[in-house]
């Protein structure tokens, strides 16, 4: 028996077999063809990698200047390296797959660099590895092979990327354990959506000897126990039964309204990443979807999802909701949610970089397609669109102009849609909260994205577990900004929701009530606990000053 400790991201007990995912191996699960086929794969992938690097070089010249961009040029040249090619072809002749041969040739080339005297040349070792990775990514279709799950397991790894998590067979996951990652990472958010007891940032990777063995995840204390002894296992089995029973008792609230003891309604919506999640949210008694993270549709695809594909997804969700609101957040790609086919230039500070609406306004065809899909889905239910990462009035106006153009197009094509479909914005930057009075004139509603609002207000990277104390969600600066956004929305006759993780914090429910927040949107497993909390509070005695003074 061995114990690891980390940060719990969802309270509950999971007991099951452990599956350790090692990323380096995962990529290589590809069929190996004849040497001719493998060589053809290599040459095609090399060409694509070189073209991508040349594109990166051109765009980096504008953003980083000639010196900063040179690395991409150098990598493009390195793809053509004679030694690299020779050893790839030799590897393939020996029976290796193209991907494996490239990885090995990259490693061999890096070793040649390391042995050089010159410090500059020594440092090129990492470039050789990087170039080989880029080529092998293309050989493997530029996507990570989905993690293959045969039976329900507890998944452990150093960390999981959002695109890996979206491709998982969710019915076969009992919980997550990661050595890195923070409470606000998208893996953690997904664990909460799926109600999976999970622990992140154990720092220590789980010993591979425990792969396939029994494991307990204690999402209450953040403990992970591998190879539990009989007594520990029996204790946890009893605790799991108890937790399951408390959950069952709460289910009595499933058809009750979310209102305080003095009758003030505060509807509870859900945050979801897919139509499958919508079903889970409805099963938990949600009153709408306050945040449909549409970027997951982009993360699961190998190329931009087209209008029809998107329309089908949003429409399916809208129909399932049967008149309950569906708020589709336009894609929030960038920062920690990367889709390779966007070919975004590497950035020094991705969280402060080209993400979500910023990409959409630079490459309007992406937003145009998405808005057409959302508008079309508005004919099939109670649908709204919501724009993330807003910092200025100009951005909102440009999105609205594009929305007007889409409406004109659909009208002339005689495609049905809801002409009054609302377009709201997220308040997730201090700038947006501070100019909320002006933004409220242009937006139909606000939704506070507290995860990013905390990160940008307190200058604390949401992915960095070391900063969890600094990223204090109850910080007065954060709460004052939320209060301001709510006041500005109401002054302009608009409504305001909260869809970040803060919405589920029972210590802040009174604050949200006092601010007159009109809707809280949480991961599905939190609907019933939050409903229980709201029903125990009185709106009249709720006091916001207590939180912001
Ligand atoms: C937020 O920032 O609070 C939010 C809801 O958006 P995301 O977590 O997807 O960035
Ligand atoms: Mg956000």
């Amino acid at each position: 028996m061995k114990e690891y400790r980390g940060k719990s991201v969802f309270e509950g007990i999971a007991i099951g077999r452990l599956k350790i995912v090692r990323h380096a191996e995962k990529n290589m699960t590809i069929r190996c063809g004849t040497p001719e086929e493998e060589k053809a794969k290599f040459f095609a992938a090399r060409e694509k990698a070189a073209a991508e690097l040349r594109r990166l070089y051109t765009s980096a010249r504008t953003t980083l200047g000639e010196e900063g961009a040179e690395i991409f040029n150098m990598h493009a040249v390195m793809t053509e390296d004679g030694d690299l090619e020779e050893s790839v072809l030799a590897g393939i002749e020996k029976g290796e797959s193209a991907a494996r041969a490239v990885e090995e040739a990259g490693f061999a080339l890096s070793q040649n660099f390391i042995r050089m005297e010159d410090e500059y040349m020594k440092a090129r070792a990492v470039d050789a590895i990087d170039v080989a990775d880029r080529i092998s990514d293309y050989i493997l279709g530029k996507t990570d092979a989905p993690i293959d799950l045969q039976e329900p397991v507890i998944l452990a790894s150093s960390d999981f990327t959002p695109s890996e998590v979206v491709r998982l067979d969710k019915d076969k996951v009992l919980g997550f354990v990661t050595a890195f990652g923070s409470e606000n990472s998208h893996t953690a958010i997904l664990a909460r959506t799926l109600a999976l007891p999970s622990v992140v940032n154990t720092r220590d990777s789980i010993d591979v000897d425990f792969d396939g063995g029994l494991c307990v995840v204690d999402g209450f204390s953040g403990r992970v126990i591998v190879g539990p002894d009989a007594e520990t296992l029996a204790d946890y089995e009893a605790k799991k039964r108890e937790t399951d029973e408390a959950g069952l008792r709460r289910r009595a609230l499933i058809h009750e309204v979310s209102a305080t003891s003095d009758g003030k309604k505060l509807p509870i919506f859900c945050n979801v990443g897919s139509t499958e999640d919508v079903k889970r949210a409805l099963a938990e008694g949600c009153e709408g979807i306050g945040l449909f993270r549409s970027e997951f549709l982009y993360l699961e695809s190998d190329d931009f999802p087209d209008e029809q594909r998107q329309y089908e997804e949003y429409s399916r969700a809208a129909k399932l909701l049967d008149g309950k609101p569906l708020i589709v957040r336009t894609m929030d790609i960038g920062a920690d949610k990367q889709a390779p086919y966007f070919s975004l230039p590497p950035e020094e500070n991705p969280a402060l970089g080209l993400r979500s609406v910023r990409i959409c306004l630079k490459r309007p065809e992406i937003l145009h397609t998405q808005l057409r899909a959302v508008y079309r889905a508005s004919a099939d239910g109670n649908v709204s669109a919501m724009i993330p990462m807003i910092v200025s009035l100009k951005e909102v106006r440009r999105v609205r102009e594009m929305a007007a153009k889409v409406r004109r197009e659909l009208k002339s094509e005689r495609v049905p849609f809801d002409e009054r479909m609302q377009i709201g914005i997220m308040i997730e930057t201090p700038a947006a909260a501070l100019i909320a009075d002006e933004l409220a004139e242009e937006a139909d509603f606000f939704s506070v994205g507290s995860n990013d609002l905390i990160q940008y207000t307190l200058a604390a990277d949401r992915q960095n577990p070391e900063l969890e104390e600094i990223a204090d969600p109850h910080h007065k600066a954060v709460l004052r900004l939320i209060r301001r956004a709510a006041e500005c929305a109401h002054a302009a006759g608009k409504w305001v929701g909260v869809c970040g993780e803060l919405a589920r914090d029972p210590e802040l429910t009174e604050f949200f009530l006092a601010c007159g927040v009109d809707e809280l949107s949480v991961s599905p497993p939190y609907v019933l606990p939050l409903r229980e909390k709201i029903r125990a509070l009185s709106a009249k005695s709720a006091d916001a000053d207590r939180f912001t003074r």
Side-chain angles (χ1 to χ4, degrees), residues 430 452-461 470-475 477-478:
D452 278 313
L453 187 61
I454 294 168
Q455 134 162 296
Y456 296 128
T457 305
L458 303 177
D461 178 359
I470 294 173
D472 170 16
H474 295 187
H475 195 297
V478 174

Side-chain angles (χ1 to χ4, degrees), residues 53 86 139 182 287 345 437 535:
L53 284 159
E86 207 174 292
I139 295 170
S182 85
E287 292 157 85
D437 49 342
R535 288 166 67 85

Side-chain angles (χ1 to χ4, degrees), residues 274-275 292 297 308-318:
S274 68
T275 308
F292 185 103
L297 200 58
Q308 184 61 19
R309 166 85 186 82
Q310 292 194 51
Y311 161 68
E312 282 164 14
E313 181 81 12
Y314 310 145
S315 166
R316 217 147 47 90

Side-chain angles (χ1 to χ4, degrees), residues 264-279:
K264 168 95 176 86
K265 285 192 181 155
L266 179 50
I268 306 174
F269 286 17
C270 275
N271 300 341
V272 298
S274 68
T275 308
E276 280 311 299
D277 293 345
V278 173
K279 291 183 196 157

Side-chain angles (χ1 to χ4, degrees), residues 329 332 355 428 452 462:
R329 192 252 304 268
D332 189 21
R355 66 176 279 201
E428 49 183 357
D452 278 313
R462 65 191 266 186

Side-chain angles (χ1 to χ4, degrees), residues 184 186 189 271 291 293 295-296 329 332 336-337 355 386 388-389 426-428 447-456 462 498-502 521:
N184 281 323
H186 287 277
I189 290 173
N271 300 341
L291 169 65
R293 287 187 165 95
E295 58 276 8
F296 284 102
R329 192 252 304 268
D332 189 21
D336 64 322
K337 288 177 277 189
R355 66 176 279 201
M386 175 162 82
M389 274 300 284
M426 291 188 75
I427 302 289
E428 49 183 357
S447 185
V448 175
S450 58
N451 307 336
D452 278 313
L453 187 61
I454 294 168
Q455 134 162 296
Y456 296 128
R462 65 191 266 186
V498 178
C499 66
E501 296 295 307
L502 221 53
S521 193

Side-chain angles (χ1 to χ4, degrees), residues 51-110:
E52 184 190 11
L53 284 159
R54 281 193 290 271
R55 266 198 315 277
L56 287 174
Y57 171 64
T58 314
S59 65
R61 263 206 309 192
T62 2
T63 50
L64 306 173
E66 185 63 43
E67 203 182 346
E70 179 48 34
I71 179 105
F72 299 115
N73 191 29
M74 195 247 286
H75 280 202
V77 172
M78 211 183 250
T79 58
E80 308 278 335
D81 185 276
D83 289 345
L84 185 80
E85 178 178 323
E86 207 174 292
S87 65
V88 171
L89 299 183
I92 291 175
E93 285 298 339
K94 277 196 306 198
E96 284 172 2
S97 70
R100 169 83 61 198
V102 168
E103 290 288 336
E104 287 189 357
F107 181 71
L109 187 60
S110 78

